[in-house]
Amino acid sequence: MCRNIKTLFNFEPPATEEEIHASALQFVRKLSGFNKPSQANEAAFNLAVAEVSEAARKLLISLQTTAPVRDREVEAEKARERSRLRFG
């Protein structure tokens, strides 16, 4: 899976529309192999991003969990620490 796609479920504050769109864009880029599609493929690419965004939004709304809500700052700090240990 693409490393740039982040978990968006069960966070406080909840995922924003921009985060959902960015995740969908990364997913479609990974699937298509295009960072920026040609003019011939642009409409199909943009439609795919919109459809994946909508599917992701519906998924996030419908998911349920009994796990405690995660704090974005705490998770970001954990990621920074993992990165620091990995890359020095």
Side-chain angles (χ1 to χ4, degrees):
M1 184 53 87
C2 185
R3 292 182 190 189
N4 293 334
I5 297 176
K6 305 295 183 208
T7 301
L8 298 178
F9 177 62
N10 199 27
F11 277 100
E12 190 58 46
T16 64
E17 288 297 315
E18 292 79 24
E19 290 172 314
I20 294 170
H21 181 267
S23 178
L25 180 60
Q26 285 296 110
F27 183 72
V28 172
R29 284 177 174 167
K30 184 71 169 183
L31 285 177
S32 67
F34 299 136
N35 189 37
K36 184 175 187 297
S38 65
Q39 285 183 332
N41 293 319
E42 190 171 13
F45 186 90
N46 290 338
L47 178 61
V49 172
E51 289 176 347
V52 170
S53 291
E54 183 60 26
R57 190 175 305 103
K58 287 178 183 178
L59 174 66
L60 292 172
I61 290 169
S62 67
L63 291 174
Q64 299 178 11
T65 185
T66 57
V69 177
R70 295 179 286 180
D71 183 277
R72 287 182 181 274
E73 274 307 309
V74 170
E75 296 299 319
E77 184 56 39
K78 287 179 187 177
R80 284 189 288 271
E81 181 62 20
R82 285 190 304 270
S83 179
R84 187 186 65 75
L85 291 173
R86 183 175 178 190
F87 300 111

